[in-house]
């Protein structure tokens, strides 16, 4: 029998570790989970709580998240929000992102993946041309739910609110009463384990996402954790980006950095554009001085600033800083801006200079992914051959193979990529990581490899 003192302490630890809050009138499940987890470790409830409080216990926190989280969801839940996404948000965002041809959407508290796949199914047909990239990220603290999300296979009950034409187009009947998400949609979505009580600079990079869905999660969090999550989501939205919350979640009429919007009975939020800085008065010109002999050349400074702008997805500004000699970075920026023919020409000029050019071949692979997966894979193979320590082409080959259903071939590339990624050159991560950092790429590689092992 779990005593009131132990139950109170358990709740306090859950608040601290997961940021969750609990209703006082429903202690039964929480007490049952405490008793079960203590028994699983052969501990008394007091010994278990001491261990949970004493040090970081990541595996156990994941078990608790799995046991206590609410996982009920289904495709296109609260259809009015997806109507606003389709009819209002996506057309506006596509107009703003035409130079980059990338849309990033984020499902926070994605559970078993239905919401994340619903975002992809809504965004995929909205692409003006096939070379647009749709990237959907789903995060959750519940590992069991994330395993289901990776499997991308659902019962008819999960599709109970899915229009019949959408079901026919984007789901495949497995023959045993289940439905699998279409491979094109599954390839655009990735899932990451993340506890919203903590920060992760790679996930919450400023101005990263065009759309964030975080529905029916805030009400389960303590006020402090919920406020921190709202701040991170606001900061992570692009200017004019859209935030959709659950119908029970409200940020009030004047949330900082967000503009409340109404469409019928649906409330959502848009990220307000930052006010342009007021220019400071120009100082009097200083006398010209010769730079010290060892000071970096202006071109080197421009390249460093361009790499920083690339990290922030400000591709056109970065390109304006470059001189004609920095061809690799120029080619990467041209590809990001959708100027693929120019990016290919730049890569070929690099190769024509002679000597091994693994980065140039990798850039060609990135360009060819838009029109010929076979040529892309060939360029990635050559890049990996020229530099056996180059992780990025192995990762891309693995993702290509996975996209085409070759799980054995994907695993053969993803396994060495996972070993090489921790040691990958930082500049290569910036150039070829698609805006994602080393940690996120490693997590992506690991989860894709685990999915391949399951399906082999």
């Amino acid at each position: 029998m779990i005593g009131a003192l132990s139950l109170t302490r358990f709740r306090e630890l859950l608040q601290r570790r997961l940021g969750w809050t609990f209703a006082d009138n429903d202690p039964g499940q929480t007490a049952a989970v405490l008793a079960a987890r203590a028994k699983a470790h052969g501990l008394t409830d007091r010994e278990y709580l001491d261990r949970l409080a004493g040090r970081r216990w990541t595996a156990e926190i994941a078990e608790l998240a799995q046991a206590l989280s609410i996982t009920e969801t289904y495709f296109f839940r609260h259809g009015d929000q997806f109507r606003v996404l389709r009819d209002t948000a996506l057309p506006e965002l596509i107009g703003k992102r035409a130079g980059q041809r990338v849309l990033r959407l984020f499902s926070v508290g994605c559970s078993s993946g239905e919401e994340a796949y619903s975002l992809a199914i809504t965004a995929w047909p909205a692409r003006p041309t096939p070379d647009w990239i749709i990237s959907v990220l789903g995060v959750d603290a519940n590992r069991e739910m994330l395993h289901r999300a990776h499997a991308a296979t659902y019962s008819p009950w999960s599709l109970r609110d899915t229009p019949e034409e959408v079901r026919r187009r984007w789901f495949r009947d497995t023959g045993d009463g289940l439905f699998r998400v279409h491979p094109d949609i599954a390839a655009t979505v990735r899932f990451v384990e993340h506890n919203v009580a903590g920060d992760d600079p790679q996930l919450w990079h400023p101005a990263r996402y065009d759309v964030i869905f975080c529905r029916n999660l805030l009400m389960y969090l303590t006020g402090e954790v919920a406020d921190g999550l709202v701040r991170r989501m606001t900061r992570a939205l692009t200017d004019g980006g859209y935030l959709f919350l659950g119908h029970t979640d409200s940020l009030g009429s004047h949330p900082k950095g967000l503009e409340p919007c109404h469409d019928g009975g649906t409330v959502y939020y848009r990220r307000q554009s930052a006010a342009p800085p007021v220019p400071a008065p120009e100082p009097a010109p200083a006398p010209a001085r010769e730079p010290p002999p060892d000071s970096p050349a202006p071109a080197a400074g421009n390249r460093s600033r361009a790499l920083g702008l690339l990290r922030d997805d400000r591709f056109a500004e970065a390109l304006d800083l470059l001189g004609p000699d920095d061809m690799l970075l120029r080619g990467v920026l041209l590809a990001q801006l959708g100027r693929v023919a120019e990016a290919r020409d730049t890569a070929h000029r690099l190769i024509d200079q002679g000597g091994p050019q693994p980065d140039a071949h990798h850039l060609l692979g990135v360009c060819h992914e838009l029109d010929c997966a076979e040529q892309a894979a060939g360029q990635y193979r050559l890049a990996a051959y020229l530099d056996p320590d180059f992780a990025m082409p192995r990762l891309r080959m693995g993702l290509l193979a996975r996209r085409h259903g070759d799980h054995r071939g994907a695993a053969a590339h993803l396994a060495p990529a996972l070993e090489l990624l921790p040691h990958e050159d930082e500049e290569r991560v910036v150039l070829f990581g698609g805006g994602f950092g080393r940690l996120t790429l490693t997590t992506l590689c690991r989860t894709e490899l685990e999915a391949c092992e399951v399906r082999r």
Side-chain angles (χ1 to χ4, degrees):
M1 182 71 178
I2 299 297
L5 193 59
S6 291
L7 183 59
T8 299
R9 188 181 179 204
F10 187 43
R11 286 178 166 182
E12 290 173 350
L13 287 170
L14 289 172
Q15 288 181 4
R16 191 187 315 163
R17 297 286 191 257
L18 290 166
W20 291 354
T21 187
F22 297 89
D24 289 336
N25 59 0
D26 186 24
Q29 183 192 12
T30 311
V33 168
L34 171 55
R37 296 311 303 163
K39 183 178 179 181
H41 292 284
L43 302 171
T44 67
D45 55 321
R46 179 173 179 177
E47 290 169 338
Y48 174 80
L49 292 171
D50 286 344
R51 183 173 178 188
L52 192 63
R55 62 183 176 86
R56 190 174 181 183
W57 198 1
T58 305
E60 185 61 17
I61 293 299
E63 292 288 343
L64 291 171
Q66 181 174 315
L68 289 165
S69 56
I70 296 171
T71 60
E72 167 62 16
T73 186
Y74 50 89
F75 284 91
F76 300 101
R77 187 179 187 183
H78 305 315
D80 277 349
Q81 293 186 323
F82 285 97
R83 174 183 56 78
V84 171
L85 175 67
R86 182 192 67 228
D87 297 342
T88 301
L90 288 175
E92 180 182 314
L93 291 166
I94 285 170
K96 293 170 60 175
R97 304 285 275 173
Q100 298 155 7
R101 304 189 187 187
V102 176
L103 285 176
R104 292 190 173 98
L105 302 92
F106 194 4
S107 171
V108 182
C110 66
S111 187
S112 46
E114 288 93 331
E115 180 178 272
Y117 289 124
S118 297
L119 291 173
I121 290 170
T122 305
W124 184 268
R127 299 173 305 154
T129 55
D131 60 343
W132 276 71
I133 296 172
I134 303 297
S135 172
V136 181
L137 173 65
V139 298
D140 203 279
N142 188 324
R143 289 181 181 175
E144 176 59 30
M145 290 299 105
L146 292 176
H147 283 308
R148 295 186 193 180
H150 282 296
T153 303
Y154 298 91
S155 70
W157 184 243
S158 290
L159 279 75
R160 62 188 181 271
D161 223 22
T162 302
E164 184 58 36
E165 64 274 15
V166 173
R167 183 186 300 208
R168 286 197 304 268
R169 182 175 182 185
W170 298 115
F171 294 86
R172 299 292 179 264
D173 192 332
T174 63
D176 54 1
L178 300 176
F179 294 87
R180 180 169 291 123
V181 177
H182 190 287
D184 285 346
I185 297 300
T188 70
V189 183
R190 64 188 183 90
F191 297 98
V192 174
E193 183 181 332
H194 174 63
N195 176 3
V196 296
D199 198 359
D200 182 339
Q202 296 294 339
L203 287 179
W204 300 107
H205 194 283
R208 167 71 68 205
Y209 306 104
D210 300 292
V211 175
I212 297 178
F213 270 51
C214 178
R215 304 187 299 171
N216 303 317
L217 174 61
L218 296 180
M219 63 181 177
Y220 297 110
L221 304 176
T222 64
E224 182 181 356
V225 171
D227 290 345
L229 177 58
V230 170
R231 286 194 298 272
R232 286 194 292 275
M233 290 192 295
T234 302
R235 187 176 66 242
L237 280 171
T238 58
D239 282 349
Y242 286 78
L243 172 64
F244 293 85
L245 301 177
H247 292 324
T248 58
D249 301 321
S250 173
L251 303 182
S253 57
H254 299 288
K256 185 176 180 180
L258 296 168
E259 172 193 359
C261 304
H262 302 266
D263 187 307
T266 298
V267 179
Y268 56 96
Y269 303 87
R270 289 183 73 247
R271 179 74 163 95
Q272 294 175 337
S273 298
V278 178
E282 293 188 11
R289 294 187 300 171
E290 290 294 324
D294 295 332
S295 64
N302 284 349
R303 188 175 195 282
S304 177
R305 289 195 293 274
L307 284 169
L309 292 168
L310 170 59
R311 287 189 184 95
D312 292 337
D313 292 349
R314 295 161 64 182
F315 308 124
E317 296 172 59
L319 189 61
D320 289 342
L321 287 175
L322 294 182
D325 296 332
D326 201 335
M327 286 196 287
L328 178 62
L329 180 51
R330 174 174 290 276
V332 169
L333 291 167
L334 288 168
Q336 291 282 13
L337 287 166
R339 295 159 60 177
V340 178
E342 295 173 74
R344 287 177 183 164
D345 289 344
T346 303
H348 283 298
R349 287 202 303 274
L350 267 171
I351 294 167
D352 290 343
Q353 289 181 352
Q357 294 283 358
D359 297 84
H361 287 289
H362 185 88
L363 175 57
L364 276 179
V366 172
C367 294
H368 281 302
E369 278 201 40
L370 299 174
D371 56 25
C372 182
E374 187 174 346
Q375 288 190 51
Q379 293 295 333
Y380 290 141
R381 279 194 295 271
L382 185 53
Y385 171 78
L386 291 172
D387 185 350
D389 294 328
F390 195 177
M392 302 305 289
R394 297 181 184 276
L395 174 59
R396 294 306 313 173
M397 283 190 285
L399 296 176
L400 274 176
R402 175 115 155 75
R403 190 184 306 167
H404 289 85
D406 179 9
H407 303 298
R408 188 176 299 277
H413 296 301
L414 291 170
L418 188 60
E419 294 183 7
L420 292 170
L421 270 170
H423 313 289
E424 182 69 285
D425 180 77
E426 181 61 29
E427 185 169 301
R428 279 175 163 171
V429 172
V430 175
L431 290 172
F432 301 121
F436 300 115
R438 188 189 310 273
L439 177 61
T440 303
L441 292 171
T442 302
T443 302
L444 167 65
C445 188
R446 182 180 295 110
T447 54
E448 292 292 319
L449 182 59
E450 288 173 356
C452 289
E453 297 294 344
V454 168
R455 298 188 185 190
R456 283 171 67 180

